[in-house]
Structures are given as structure tokens and as C-alpha cells.
Amino acid sequence: MNAEIKRGSLEMIAAMLISGSIGWFVLMSGQPVINVVFWRCAIGALVLLAVCAALGQLRPGMLTRATLLLAIAGGVALVLNWLLLFAAYSYASISIATAVYNTQPFMLVGLGALFLGEKLTARKLLWLALAFAGVLMVVLAQPRQAGGQHNYLVGIGLSLGAAFFYALMALAAKRLKGTPPHLIALIQVTVGTVMLLPLVNFHAPTSTGQWGMLVTVGVLHTGLMYVLMYGALQKLPTNLIGSLSFIYPIAAMLVDRLAFGHRLVALQLAGAAIILLAAAGMNLLGERRLAPTPGGKQAPEQ
């Protein structure tokens, strides 16, 4: 393994471990989901602004009007994705929300077939059917406690909605090839800041510890995570990126188990494993890469 591949692998592993821990910070912040996403965007924007300035990506003429509009549209989809995913944690647990959220490659396949004329091959349909079976298994493993069934299904629905909006964001990203990825990330979180500003409850009680959680989500899980992830994407081959991206759901499930004691029942565990297996097959064995970043490589997102 050469030095560049080794460094890129370490950056990708760090980025995925950071992503896998975000659910704990979101829940421990004790804030409404809108507040969490707003502060993630606002604080993350400051970090990414400094990064883009240091990389010389704020020069005039870096973006065309069409590119800017597409980046803004992708930003709206990304923010809706975060809102739904973070809301799902409180209903279906971090583990289940993360597993169901990993149906996003299949959402992208469907959107690609509808809007980009991409061919639905037999192999893609096989992985899609397998993922659907995994989701059905997760849905059937409903909790027995009173009121649990409704909340559980709401959580799964929110996770599926988050995956759909992530796929929309990835579809927009496919049109932004050649645009600096850190600049696109800055546009996206700036869009989120403006978009959520009228909805934020600035009077919500917030302790020093809770502010610490929000700042961490903005600095660590947004600013630093983007820098690490995009640094890795520039150094690694696509197959290695796809392989390392599965550290994220595994890390999220471990955090959920260790921090909150959530143990998946056998049917949930089997369903989650099947979803991840199908997503791995689609990403690593499919004929074409599904969600290239503006730099042309596949990017996991959280």
C-alpha cells in the first residue's frame, strides 16, 4: 500500500467513524431536530468557509449560474435528508434508522432510471429485491410495547424519506462534476442555515453541555468530516471507498448498543444485514458507480 492510499484510507476511516457517532450527539443535545440541523449548518458553514478560503476556492468565476442553482437544489435535499434522519433516531433507534437509511443507493437507481435514462439491469434489480426483503424484515420486527408499533413505523418511514432526499442530492451531485467539493458543501450548509433560520427556536433551553454537543456536530461532524472525506475521495480507488463507507453503519450500530443499550432482535439484525449486503453489492459489484461526487468518486453522506 503506497503512502497516498494509506493516508486516504486513514482519512476515510476517520470520516466514517465520526459519521457513525453523530446519532449520539444529536440525541444527547436534547434539542429539537430543526435546531440541531440549523446549528450543524451554521457552524459547519463557518468551518467550510475557512477551508474554502485557504484552498483558494472563493475566487469569482468559480461557479456558473446553472451550477450554483443546482448546488442550492442539492443543498435543500441534503438538509431535508438530515431533518428526517435525525428525527428517525427518536422513533426507531439509531441502528434501525441507519440500516433503513442505507437503502439510498436503490433510491438513486430508481431516480437515475426515471430522469437520466440509466438502464435497470438484472443485477441491479436483484440487489433491489434483496434490499426490499431486508426492509420488510425490519418492518415485521415491530416492538411489542404499547405505542411502540406506531412510533417504530414512523421511524422507518422517516428513514426512507431521508434516503430519498439523499438520493436527490446525489442526483444533483452527478451534474456538478469538476466543481470543488468543499465549495459545494459550503453552499449546501449555507442553504440550510438560511432555509431553517425562520424555524429555529432560539429560546429553547440549552445548557453548556448541550451547546458543546451542537458545536461538536457543526465542527467535527460537518466541517472536519467533509474535509477528511473529500481528502480521502481524491486519493482512493472507488472500490476501496465503497468498502470503507460501510464502517459508518457498523459504527452507528455499535454506538447505539454501547450508549443506549439498544439490542436488535434476530429479525431486525437479519434485515439490517441484508440491507447492508445489498447496498454493498450495488456499490461494489454493480456495473456502474451510483453516486459520484463532483470529483467523480462515490461519496457516502451523513
Side-chain angles (χ1 to χ4, degrees):
M1 181 183 292
N2 64 42
E4 185 175 71
I5 296 292
K6 184 176 181 179
R7 181 179 175 184
S9 297
L10 291 174
E11 289 174 339
M12 192 68 178
I13 291 169
M16 293 301 96
L17 289 174
I18 290 170
S19 293
S21 69
I22 193 171
W24 184 81
F25 286 87
V26 169
L27 293 177
M28 295 304 293
S29 74
Q31 294 294 298
V33 170
I34 288 176
N35 283 28
V36 175
V37 177
F38 171 80
W39 290 113
R40 179 182 193 181
C41 290
I43 297 169
L46 295 176
V47 177
L48 289 167
L49 181 65
V51 171
C52 289
L55 295 175
Q57 295 177 354
L58 300 180
R59 302 188 308 272
M62 291 293 291
L63 297 169
T64 65
R65 184 174 180 271
T67 298
L68 177 61
L69 290 175
L70 198 55
I72 290 172
V76 172
L78 181 62
V79 171
L80 292 173
N81 152 63
W82 284 343
L83 288 170
L84 293 174
L85 181 61
F86 291 175
Y89 292 155
S90 298
Y91 288 96
S93 85
I94 295 171
S95 297
I96 293 301
T98 302
V100 175
Y101 179 63
N102 274 273
T103 57
Q104 50 188 265
F106 309 101
M107 306 277 189
L108 186 56
V109 165
L111 292 173
L114 285 173
F115 299 109
L116 300 180
E118 295 181 352
K119 186 179 178 182
L120 281 176
T121 64
R123 181 178 294 181
K124 288 180 180 179
L125 290 173
L126 175 63
W127 293 124
L128 178 60
L130 190 61
F132 181 70
V135 172
L136 283 181
M137 292 172 71
V138 170
V139 170
L140 290 172
Q142 298 170 9
R144 298 176 182 176
Q145 64 267 29
Q149 177 177 341
H150 176 264
N151 288 342
Y152 186 72
L153 293 178
V154 168
I156 290 175
L158 290 169
S159 302
L160 289 171
F164 174 74
F165 281 109
Y166 174 80
L168 286 180
M169 185 279 297
L171 195 67
K174 296 186 80 161
R175 301 289 191 181
L176 293 170
K177 186 176 180 179
T179 306
H182 298 94
L183 183 57
I184 293 175
L186 173 60
I187 293 169
Q188 290 174 338
V189 292
T190 302
V191 166
T193 304
V194 174
M195 180 177 157
L196 298 178
L197 183 60
L199 305 175
V200 179
N201 179 9
F202 289 105
H203 302 292
T206 310
S207 67
T208 302
Q210 289 173 322
W211 273 117
M213 297 291 176
L214 294 174
V215 170
T216 302
V217 168
V219 175
L220 182 66
H221 294 91
T222 307
L224 181 59
M225 193 273 289
Y226 268 109
V227 172
L228 288 170
M229 186 173 69
Y230 285 127
L233 295 176
Q234 294 170 356
K235 301 178 182 73
L236 299 178
T238 302
N239 65 323
L240 190 52
I241 293 169
S243 299
L244 294 177
S245 70
F246 285 93
I247 293 173
Y248 156 57
I250 294 170
M253 291 178 183
L254 286 174
V255 168
D256 195 27
R257 178 71 181 93
L258 294 173
F260 300 107
H262 290 155
R263 185 193 298 271
L264 298 182
V265 300
L267 196 58
Q268 289 174 322
L269 191 59
I274 288 173
I275 292 170
L276 296 181
L277 173 64
M282 182 72 83
N283 279 309
L284 303 179
L285 303 178
E287 296 90 342
R288 298 175 63 183
R289 287 174 278 136
L290 293 177
T293 65
K297 300 241 180 141
Q298 182 184 355
E301 185 62 58
Q302 163 47 14

Coordinates of all heavy atoms in Angstrom, one line a residue, residues 110-164:
G110 N -33.5 4.1 -9.0 CA -34.8 4.5 -9.5 C -34.8 5.8 -10.1 O -35.4 6.0 -11.2
L111 N -34.2 6.8 -9.4 CA -34.2 8.2 -9.9 C -33.4 8.3 -11.2 O -33.7 9.0 -12.1 CB -33.7 9.2 -8.9 CG -34.6 9.4 -7.6 CD1 -33.9 10.2 -6.6 CD2 -35.9 10.0 -8.0
G112 N -32.3 7.6 -11.2 CA -31.4 7.6 -12.4 C -32.2 7.0 -13.6 O -32.0 7.5 -14.7
A113 N -33.0 5.9 -13.4 CA -33.7 5.3 -14.5 C -34.8 6.3 -15.0 O -35.1 6.4 -16.2 CB -34.4 4.0 -14.0
L114 N -35.4 7.0 -14.0 CA -36.5 7.9 -14.4 C -36.1 9.2 -15.1 O -36.6 9.6 -16.1 CB -37.3 8.3 -13.1 CG -38.3 7.3 -12.5 CD1 -38.8 7.8 -11.2 CD2 -39.4 7.0 -13.5
F115 N -35.0 9.8 -14.6 CA -34.6 11.1 -15.1 C -33.3 11.1 -15.9 O -33.1 12.1 -16.6 CB -34.4 12.1 -13.9 CG -35.6 12.2 -13.1 CD1 -35.8 11.7 -11.8 CD2 -36.7 13.0 -13.6 CE1 -36.9 11.8 -11.0 CE2 -37.9 13.1 -12.8 CZ -38.0 12.6 -11.6
L116 N -32.5 10.1 -15.8 CA -31.2 10.1 -16.6 C -31.2 9.0 -17.6 O -30.2 8.9 -18.3 CB -30.0 9.9 -15.6 CG -29.9 11.0 -14.5 CD1 -28.6 10.7 -13.6 CD2 -29.7 12.4 -15.1
G117 N -32.3 8.3 -17.7 CA -32.3 7.2 -18.7 C -31.3 6.1 -18.5 O -31.0 5.3 -19.4
E118 N -30.9 5.9 -17.2 CA -30.0 4.8 -16.9 C -30.7 3.5 -16.9 O -31.9 3.3 -16.5 CB -29.3 5.0 -15.5 CG -28.4 6.3 -15.5 CD -27.8 6.5 -14.2 OE1 -28.1 5.8 -13.2 OE2 -26.9 7.3 -14.1
K119 N -30.0 2.4 -17.4 CA -30.7 1.1 -17.6 C -30.8 0.4 -16.3 O -29.8 0.3 -15.5 CB -29.8 0.3 -18.6 CG -30.5 -1.0 -18.9 CD -29.6 -1.7 -20.0 CE -30.2 -3.1 -20.3 NZ -29.3 -3.8 -21.3
L120 N -31.9 -0.2 -16.0 CA -32.1 -1.1 -14.9 C -31.7 -2.5 -15.3 O -32.5 -3.2 -15.9 CB -33.6 -1.0 -14.4 CG -34.0 0.2 -13.5 CD1 -35.5 0.1 -13.2 CD2 -33.2 0.2 -12.2
T121 N -30.6 -2.9 -14.9 CA -30.1 -4.3 -15.3 C -30.6 -5.3 -14.3 O -31.1 -5.0 -13.3 CB -28.5 -4.3 -15.3 OG1 -28.1 -4.1 -13.9 CG2 -27.9 -3.2 -16.2
A122 N -30.5 -6.6 -14.7 CA -30.9 -7.7 -13.9 C -30.2 -7.7 -12.6 O -30.8 -8.0 -11.5 CB -30.8 -9.0 -14.6
R123 N -28.9 -7.4 -12.6 CA -28.1 -7.4 -11.4 C -28.6 -6.3 -10.4 O -28.8 -6.5 -9.2 CB -26.6 -7.1 -11.7 CG -25.7 -7.1 -10.5 CD -24.3 -7.0 -10.8 NE -23.8 -8.1 -11.6 CZ -22.5 -8.2 -12.0 NH1 -21.7 -7.2 -11.8 NH2 -22.1 -9.3 -12.7
K124 N -28.9 -5.1 -10.9 CA -29.4 -4.0 -10.1 C -30.8 -4.4 -9.5 O -31.0 -4.2 -8.3 CB -29.5 -2.7 -10.9 CG -28.2 -2.1 -11.2 CD -28.4 -0.8 -12.0 CE -27.1 -0.2 -12.3 NZ -27.2 1.1 -13.1
L125 N -31.6 -5.0 -10.3 CA -32.9 -5.4 -9.8 C -32.8 -6.5 -8.7 O -33.6 -6.6 -7.8 CB -33.8 -5.9 -11.0 CG -34.2 -4.8 -12.0 CD1 -34.9 -5.5 -13.2 CD2 -35.2 -3.8 -11.3
L126 N -31.8 -7.4 -8.9 CA -31.6 -8.4 -7.8 C -31.2 -7.8 -6.5 O -31.8 -8.2 -5.5 CB -30.5 -9.4 -8.3 CG -30.1 -10.5 -7.3 CD1 -31.3 -11.4 -7.0 CD2 -28.9 -11.3 -7.8
W127 N -30.3 -6.9 -6.5 CA -29.9 -6.2 -5.3 C -31.0 -5.4 -4.7 O -31.2 -5.3 -3.5 CB -28.7 -5.3 -5.5 CG -27.4 -6.0 -5.9 CD1 -26.6 -5.8 -7.0 CD2 -26.8 -7.0 -5.1 NE1 -25.5 -6.6 -7.0 CE2 -25.6 -7.4 -5.8 CE3 -27.0 -7.6 -3.9 CZ2 -24.7 -8.3 -5.4 CZ3 -26.2 -8.6 -3.5 CH2 -25.0 -9.0 -4.2
L128 N -31.9 -4.8 -5.6 CA -33.0 -4.0 -5.1 C -34.0 -4.9 -4.4 O -34.6 -4.6 -3.4 CB -33.7 -3.3 -6.4 CG -34.9 -2.5 -6.1 CD1 -34.6 -1.4 -5.1 CD2 -35.5 -1.9 -7.4
A129 N -34.3 -6.1 -5.0 CA -35.2 -7.0 -4.4 C -34.7 -7.5 -3.1 O -35.5 -7.7 -2.1 CB -35.4 -8.2 -5.4
L130 N -33.4 -7.7 -3.0 CA -32.8 -8.2 -1.7 C -33.0 -7.1 -0.6 O -33.3 -7.4 0.5 CB -31.3 -8.5 -1.9 CG -30.6 -9.2 -0.8 CD1 -31.3 -10.6 -0.5 CD2 -29.1 -9.4 -1.1
A131 N -32.7 -5.9 -1.0 CA -32.8 -4.8 0.0 C -34.3 -4.6 0.4 O -34.6 -4.4 1.6 CB -32.3 -3.4 -0.7
F132 N -35.2 -4.8 -0.5 CA -36.6 -4.7 -0.2 C -37.0 -5.8 0.8 O -37.8 -5.5 1.8 CB -37.5 -4.8 -1.5 CG -39.0 -4.7 -1.2 CD1 -39.5 -3.5 -0.8 CD2 -39.8 -5.8 -1.3 CE1 -40.9 -3.3 -0.6 CE2 -41.1 -5.7 -1.1 CZ -41.7 -4.5 -0.8
A133 N -36.5 -7.0 0.6 CA -36.7 -8.0 1.6 C -36.2 -7.7 2.9 O -36.8 -8.0 4.0 CB -36.1 -9.3 1.0
G134 N -35.0 -7.1 3.0 CA -34.4 -6.7 4.3 C -35.3 -5.6 5.0 O -35.5 -5.7 6.2
V135 N -35.8 -4.7 4.2 CA -36.7 -3.6 4.8 C -38.0 -4.3 5.4 O -38.4 -4.0 6.5 CB -37.0 -2.6 3.8 CG1 -38.1 -1.6 4.3 CG2 -35.8 -1.8 3.4
L136 N -38.5 -5.2 4.6 CA -39.7 -5.9 5.1 C -39.5 -6.7 6.4 O -40.3 -6.7 7.3 CB -40.2 -6.9 4.0 CG -41.0 -6.4 2.8 CD1 -41.4 -7.5 1.9 CD2 -42.2 -5.6 3.3
M137 N -38.3 -7.3 6.5 CA -37.9 -8.0 7.8 C -37.8 -7.0 8.9 O -38.3 -7.3 10.0 CB -36.6 -8.7 7.6 CG -36.7 -9.9 6.6 SD -35.1 -10.7 6.2 CE -34.8 -11.5 7.8
V138 N -37.2 -5.8 8.7 CA -37.1 -4.8 9.7 C -38.5 -4.4 10.1 O -38.8 -4.2 11.3 CB -36.3 -3.7 9.2 CG1 -36.3 -2.5 10.2 CG2 -34.8 -4.1 9.1
V139 N -39.4 -4.1 9.2 CA -40.7 -3.7 9.4 C -41.5 -4.7 10.2 O -42.3 -4.3 11.2 CB -41.5 -3.3 8.1 CG1 -43.0 -3.1 8.4 CG2 -40.9 -2.1 7.4
L140 N -41.4 -6.0 9.9 CA -42.1 -7.0 10.6 C -41.7 -7.2 12.0 O -42.4 -7.7 12.9 CB -42.0 -8.3 9.8 CG -42.7 -8.4 8.5 CD1 -42.3 -9.7 7.7 CD2 -44.2 -8.3 8.7
A141 N -40.4 -6.8 12.3 CA -39.9 -6.9 13.7 C -40.3 -5.8 14.6 O -39.5 -5.0 15.1 CB -38.4 -7.0 13.7
Q142 N -41.6 -5.6 14.7 CA -42.2 -4.4 15.4 C -42.1 -4.6 16.9 O -42.3 -5.8 17.4 CB -43.6 -4.1 15.0 CG -43.8 -3.8 13.5 CD -45.2 -3.8 13.1 OE1 -46.1 -3.8 13.9 NE2 -45.4 -3.7 11.8
P143 N -41.8 -3.6 17.7 CA -41.7 -3.8 19.1 C -43.1 -4.1 19.7 O -44.1 -3.7 19.2 CB -41.2 -2.4 19.6 CG -41.5 -1.5 18.5 CD -41.5 -2.2 17.2
R144 N -43.1 -4.7 20.9 CA -44.3 -5.2 21.5 C -44.9 -4.2 22.5 O -46.1 -4.4 22.9 CB -44.1 -6.6 22.2 CG -43.7 -7.7 21.2 CD -43.3 -8.9 22.0 NE -42.9 -10.0 21.1 CZ -42.4 -11.2 21.5 NH1 -42.4 -11.5 22.8 NH2 -42.0 -12.1 20.6
Q145 N -44.1 -3.3 23.0 CA -44.6 -2.4 24.0 C -45.7 -1.5 23.4 O -45.8 -1.2 22.3 CB -43.5 -1.5 24.6 CG -42.8 -0.6 23.6 CD -41.6 -1.2 23.0 OE1 -41.5 -2.4 22.9 NE2 -40.6 -0.4 22.6
A146 N -46.6 -1.0 24.3 CA -47.7 -0.1 23.9 C -47.2 1.1 23.3 O -46.3 1.8 23.7 CB -48.5 0.3 25.2
G147 N -47.8 1.4 22.1 CA -47.4 2.6 21.3 C -46.1 2.4 20.5 O -45.8 3.3 19.7
G148 N -45.4 1.3 20.8 CA -44.2 1.1 20.1 C -44.3 0.9 18.6 O -43.5 1.3 17.8
Q149 N -45.4 0.1 18.2 CA -45.5 -0.2 16.8 C -45.7 1.1 16.0 O -45.0 1.2 14.9 CB -46.8 -1.1 16.6 CG -47.1 -1.4 15.2 CD -48.3 -2.4 15.1 OE1 -48.6 -3.0 16.0 NE2 -48.8 -2.4 13.9
H150 N -46.5 2.0 16.4 CA -46.7 3.2 15.6 C -45.4 4.0 15.5 O -45.0 4.5 14.4 CB -47.8 4.1 16.2 CG -48.0 5.4 15.6 ND1 -47.4 6.6 16.0 CD2 -48.7 5.7 14.4 CE1 -47.8 7.5 15.2 NE2 -48.6 7.1 14.2
N151 N -44.7 4.2 16.6 CA -43.5 5.0 16.6 C -42.4 4.3 15.7 O -41.7 5.0 15.0 CB -43.0 5.2 18.0 CG -43.8 6.1 18.8 OD1 -44.6 6.9 18.3 ND2 -43.7 6.1 20.2
Y152 N -42.4 3.0 15.8 CA -41.4 2.2 15.1 C -41.6 2.4 13.6 O -40.7 2.7 12.8 CB -41.5 0.8 15.4 CG -40.5 -0.1 14.8 CD1 -39.2 -0.1 15.3 CD2 -40.8 -1.1 13.9 CE1 -38.2 -1.0 14.7 CE2 -39.9 -1.9 13.3 CZ -38.6 -1.9 13.8 OH -37.7 -2.7 13.2
L153 N -42.9 2.4 13.1 CA -43.2 2.5 11.7 C -42.9 4.0 11.3 O -42.5 4.2 10.1 CB -44.6 2.1 11.4 CG -44.9 0.6 11.6 CD1 -46.4 0.3 11.3 CD2 -44.0 -0.2 10.7
V154 N -43.2 4.9 12.1 CA -42.9 6.3 11.8 C -41.4 6.5 11.6 O -41.0 7.1 10.7 CB -43.4 7.3 12.9 CG1 -42.8 8.7 12.7 CG2 -44.9 7.3 13.0
G155 N -40.6 5.9 12.5 CA -39.1 6.0 12.3 C -38.6 5.4 11.0 O -37.8 5.9 10.4
I156 N -39.2 4.2 10.6 CA -38.8 3.6 9.4 C -39.2 4.5 8.2 O -38.5 4.7 7.3 CB -39.5 2.2 9.2 CG1 -38.8 1.3 10.2 CG2 -39.3 1.7 7.8 CD1 -39.4 -0.1 10.3
G157 N -40.4 5.1 8.3 CA -40.9 6.0 7.2 C -40.0 7.2 7.1 O -39.6 7.6 6.0
L158 N -39.6 7.8 8.2 CA -38.7 8.9 8.2 C -37.3 8.6 7.6 O -36.7 9.3 6.9 CB -38.5 9.5 9.6 CG -39.7 10.2 10.3 CD1 -39.4 10.4 11.8 CD2 -40.0 11.5 9.6
S159 N -36.8 7.4 8.0 CA -35.5 6.9 7.4 C -35.6 6.7 5.9 O -34.7 7.1 5.2 CB -35.1 5.6 8.1 OG -35.0 5.7 9.5
L160 N -36.7 6.2 5.4 CA -36.9 6.0 4.0 C -37.0 7.4 3.3 O -36.4 7.6 2.2 CB -38.1 5.2 3.7 CG -38.0 3.7 4.0 CD1 -39.4 3.0 3.9 CD2 -37.0 3.0 3.1
G161 N -37.6 8.3 3.9 CA -37.7 9.7 3.4 C -36.3 10.3 3.3 O -36.0 11.0 2.4
A162 N -35.5 10.1 4.4 CA -34.2 10.6 4.4 C -33.3 10.1 3.3 O -32.6 10.8 2.6 CB -33.5 10.3 5.7
A163 N -33.5 8.7 3.0 CA -32.7 8.1 1.9 C -33.2 8.7 0.6 O -32.3 8.9 -0.3 CB -33.0 6.6 2.0
F164 N -34.4 9.0 0.4 CA -34.9 9.5 -0.8 C -34.3 10.9 -1.1 O -33.9 11.2 -2.2 CB -36.5 9.6 -0.8 CG -37.1 10.3 -2.0 CD1 -37.1 9.7 -3.2 CD2 -37.5 11.6 -1.9 CE1 -37.7 10.4 -4.3 CE2 -38.1 12.3 -2.9 CZ -38.1 11.7 -4.2

